[in-house]
């Protein structure tokens, strides 16, 4: 009977707690370029657009072996198990029992001094069910399901963060290699100039001050190499951790930031971030879970109806245990209504509403932060691309000035102060160009991260970590 009527009496208030989101939704990005928004949307494997085979291999390794991703996957297993735990009260609880008892009372005080031994055998089946008339247990189950969904989006947040960090770390390695290369070239040029000055000193056309100044510049360039090597090697160790390798067993070939292409990408419509960003989807699922938690806490104020039934067989002889006369049954229905609990239920409801408000504000912040992230990444990518072009012109002009100064120095027709200035200008310009290229690459990865990963060719938005079809955001 309980199994028959329970579905019709369960879940009477589910779906009542839906706060207004009140989101400030822009219609376009201020820094976005005009044109077709779908002309260059990021693909799922967006890192291939940098055209680096080594980077692609590192990305594949990170998604397979990164330990943070493994932890996030383990959290999904826990969340799924919690769904089963939360769903258990919606099903009847059935318990089977069997017993055999032998009794031999004391013979003292009995007439005739004798006693008898008797046996009792029984088997029973007990079933109980709590009618979820107000939807408390079902709301708890829905909250657990939303938390399980949030754990999946958390995995995608971790995956996206990991692959972006792999790209950024790899680019920092390339930049450090570029800086080491530039510094060594500058050191060789400074030593070459030092040789020319020493020749002029021996010929009496240069002073000891000129020699000392150039020696100081040579020493400065030589001292600049170890810190750059520290940066390079430490980033290699960090990259090893990201791909789940021991640093001692890991190596990076590297190359140059100048050989890395920057893929063109357009941000699409701002509203699409609600489907695309896994952190927004995670906040959305957490908000939905807190909505159901409020429903569950409110339903706890109402009466709880418990149905219990027991049936079985009992006999003093094992041979007659399952005869018709040994059968018994018991049916019980009980109703429990909280009257006074020291304001426990009221406090639990207030707590659930507080968590709901917290998750609502977190969701709003996640949405606005996503819009801000895209704007900042677009601005950074545009400006650093412009700066790279301008800085390349600075390097070209500085290189030409230094070459002219070196030739005139060889001919003895230039002031040594002018040569020193030309050297330092070139060295600074070259190092700045490496930094600008690194900043541009980091801005590109920030844009991909801000957009939430990649899009399928059809325009359906899915995350980096999985190909699950998206669902509509909370309304």
């Amino acid at each position: 009977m309980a199994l028959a009527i329970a579905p019709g009496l369960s879940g009477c208030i589910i779906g009542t707690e839906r706060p207004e989101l009140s989101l400030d939704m822009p219609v376009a990005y201020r820094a976005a370029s005009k044109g077709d928004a779908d002309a260059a949307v990021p693909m799922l494997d967006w890192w291939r657009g940098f055209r680096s085979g080594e980077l692609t291999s590192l990305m594949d390794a990170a998604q397979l072996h990164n330990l943070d991703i493994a932890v996030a996957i383990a959290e999904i297993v826990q969340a799924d198990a919690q769904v089963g735990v939360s769903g258990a009260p919606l099903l009847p609880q059935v318990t089977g029992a069997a017993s055999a008892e032998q009794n031999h009372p004391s013979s003292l005080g009995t007439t005739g001094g004798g006693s008898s031994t008797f046996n009792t055998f029984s088997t029973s089946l007990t079933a109980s069910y709590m009618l979820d008339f107000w939807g408390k247990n079902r709301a708890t189950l829905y909250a657990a399901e939303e938390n399980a969904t949030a754990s999946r989006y958390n995995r995608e947040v971790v995956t996206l963060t990991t692959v972006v960090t792999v790209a950024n770390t790899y680019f920092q390695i390339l930049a450090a290699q570029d800086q080491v290369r530039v510094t060594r070239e500058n050191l060789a040029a400074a030593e070459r100039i030092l040789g020319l000055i020493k020749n002029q000193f021996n010929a009496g056309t240069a002073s000891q001050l000129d020699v000392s100044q150039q020696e100081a510049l040579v020493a400065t360039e030589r001292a600049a190499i170890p810190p750059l090597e520290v940066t390079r090697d430490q980033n290699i160790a960090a990259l090893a951790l990201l791909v789940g390798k021991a640093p001692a067993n890991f190596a990076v070939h590297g190359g140059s930031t100048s050989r890395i292409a920057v893929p063109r990408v357009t941000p699409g419509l701002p509203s699409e971030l609600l489907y695309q960003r896994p952190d927004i989807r995670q906040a959305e699922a957490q908000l939905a879970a807190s909505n159901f938690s409020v429903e569950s806490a409110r339903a706890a104020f109402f009466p709880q109806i418990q149905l219990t039934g027991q049936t079985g067989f009992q006999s003093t002889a094992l041979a007659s245990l399952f005869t018709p006369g040994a059968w018994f049954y018991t049916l019980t229905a009980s109703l429990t209504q909280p009257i006074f609990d020291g304001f426990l239920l009221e406090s639990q409801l207030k707590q659930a509403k507080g968590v709901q408000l917290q998750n609502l504000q977190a969701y709003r912040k996640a949405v606005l932060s996503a819009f801000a992230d895209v704007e900042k990444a677009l601005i950074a990518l545009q400006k650093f691309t412009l700066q790279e072009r301008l800085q390349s012109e600075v390097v070209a002009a500085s290189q030409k000035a230094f070459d002219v100064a070196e030739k005139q120095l060889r001919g003895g027709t230039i002031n040594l102060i002018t040569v020193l200035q030309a050297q330092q200008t070139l060295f600074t310009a070259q190092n700045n160009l490496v930094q600008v290229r690194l900043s541009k690459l980091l801005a590109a990865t920030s844009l991909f991260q801000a957009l939430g990963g990649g899009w399928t060719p059809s325009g359906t938005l899915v995350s980096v970590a999985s190909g699950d079809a998206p669902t509509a955001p909370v309304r």
Side-chain angles (χ1 to χ4, degrees):
M1 180 177 62
L3 292 176
I5 67 175
L9 296 178
S10 297
C12 297
I13 64 168
I14 298 299
T16 61
E17 295 292 339
R18 291 294 183 271
E20 292 294 330
L21 296 182
S22 302
L23 297 176
D24 183 12
M25 296 289 296
V27 297
Y29 298 106
R30 178 179 298 179
S33 58
K34 305 300 181 182
D36 185 4
D38 295 326
V41 295
M43 303 299 291
L44 285 174
D45 51 352
W46 50 266
W47 49 85
R48 294 182 182 274
F50 292 104
R51 299 178 185 177
S52 170
E54 186 173 40
L55 176 61
T56 299
S57 299
L58 291 170
M59 290 293 195
D60 294 339
Q63 292 182 83
L64 289 174
H65 305 298
N66 181 265
L67 299 180
D68 290 331
I69 297 176
V71 169
I73 293 174
E75 291 174 349
I76 292 176
V77 176
Q78 298 175 53
D80 287 344
Q82 185 59 46
V83 171
V85 172
S86 300
L90 292 172
L91 300 174
Q93 305 297 309
V94 181
T95 304
S99 66
E101 182 180 356
Q102 185 177 79
N103 291 283
H104 181 77
S106 172
S107 61
L108 296 178
T110 60
T111 303
S115 64
S116 62
T117 300
F118 61 91
N119 301 319
T120 302
F121 302 94
S122 66
T123 61
S124 64
L125 192 66
T126 302
S128 63
Y129 184 78
M130 176 73 72
L131 290 182
D132 194 28
F133 189 81
W134 309 107
K136 176 179 180 294
N137 294 333
R138 189 164 298 278
T140 301
L141 172 62
Y142 290 162
E145 290 176 343
E146 293 295 344
N147 283 327
T149 300
S151 68
R152 282 165 169 77
Y153 286 117
N154 176 65
R155 177 198 61 186
E156 298 179 9
V157 170
V158 172
T159 301
L160 179 58
T161 302
T162 298
V163 296
V164 169
T165 305
V166 168
N168 290 344
T169 305
Y170 182 71
F171 295 149
Q172 288 169 350
I173 293 172
L174 297 185
Q177 290 177 330
D178 283 341
Q179 288 181 310
V180 170
R181 189 179 304 109
V182 166
T183 304
R184 292 189 184 279
E185 292 174 354
N186 292 339
L187 175 60
E191 289 176 338
R192 188 168 64 248
I193 297 298
L194 177 60
L196 294 175
I197 295 175
K198 284 183 176 180
N199 291 336
Q200 293 180 355
F201 175 75
N202 294 332
T205 58
S207 66
Q208 181 61 48
L209 178 60
D210 297 330
V211 175
S212 298
Q213 286 179 328
Q214 187 64 26
E215 287 177 341
L217 182 59
V218 170
T220 299
E221 291 298 317
R222 185 177 289 112
I225 294 176
L228 298 174
E229 293 176 334
V230 168
T231 300
R232 178 197 61 196
D233 295 342
Q234 287 183 342
N235 277 302
I236 291 175
L239 188 57
L241 176 62
L242 289 170
V243 299
K245 299 288 185 180
N249 302 326
F250 180 76
V252 175
H253 178 267
S256 174
T257 54
S258 62
R259 298 189 180 96
I260 300 296
V262 177
R264 187 173 69 91
V265 57
T266 52
L269 298 176
S271 60
E272 291 171 330
L273 283 185
L274 298 182
Y275 294 89
Q276 178 64 9
R277 288 264 298 221
D279 57 336
I280 294 179
R281 304 303 299 277
Q282 181 184 7
E284 170 190 305
Q286 290 171 339
L287 175 59
S290 63
N291 294 341
F292 289 120
S293 294
V294 171
E295 294 176 355
S296 177
R298 177 175 286 110
F301 285 90
F302 298 98
Q304 306 296 316
I305 302 173
Q306 176 80 30
L307 302 179
T308 304
Q310 183 180 27
T311 184
F313 297 89
Q314 186 174 21
S315 174
T316 57
L318 183 60
S320 60
L321 177 61
F322 294 104
T323 60
W327 180 61
F328 72 91
Y329 70 89
T330 302
L331 296 177
T332 304
S334 62
L335 182 145
T336 303
Q337 170 62 55
I339 298 177
F340 180 74
D341 58 0
F343 305 103
L344 174 62
L345 295 179
E346 182 179 356
S347 298
Q348 289 175 337
L349 178 59
K350 288 181 179 179
Q351 182 186 35
K353 287 185 175 180
V355 173
Q356 181 189 48
L357 180 60
Q358 175 186 344
N359 289 336
L360 174 61
Q361 303 303 340
Y363 179 75
R364 290 170 175 167
K365 180 180 178 182
V367 172
L368 294 179
S369 296
F371 297 147
D373 290 343
V374 174
E375 292 284 4
K376 291 188 293 185
L378 283 171
I379 293 171
L381 185 57
Q382 291 173 359
K383 299 307 180 182
F384 284 129
T385 300
L386 174 61
Q387 186 181 7
E388 181 189 25
R389 179 175 61 80
L390 298 176
Q391 189 63 33
S392 296
E393 295 174 357
V394 173
V395 171
S398 300
Q399 183 68 58
K400 184 176 180 180
F402 177 70
D403 293 341
V404 172
E406 184 176 3
K407 289 181 180 179
Q408 291 180 351
L409 180 64
R410 292 180 183 275
T413 60
I414 192 174
N415 190 298
L416 289 178
I417 295 178
T418 304
V419 177
L420 289 174
Q421 291 176 342
Q423 288 181 90
Q424 292 174 336
T425 299
L426 175 61
F427 299 168
T428 301
Q430 289 175 325
N431 283 320
N432 288 343
L433 179 59
V434 173
Q435 288 296 331
V436 171
R437 285 174 175 166
L438 174 61
S439 297
K440 185 181 73 170
L441 292 173
L442 297 182
T445 58
S446 295
L447 180 56
F448 284 114
Q449 185 175 22
L451 294 174
W455 301 4
T456 63
S458 62
T460 302
L461 303 179
V462 296
S463 64
V464 172
S466 70
D468 299 335
T471 56
V474 174
R475 296 301 183 198

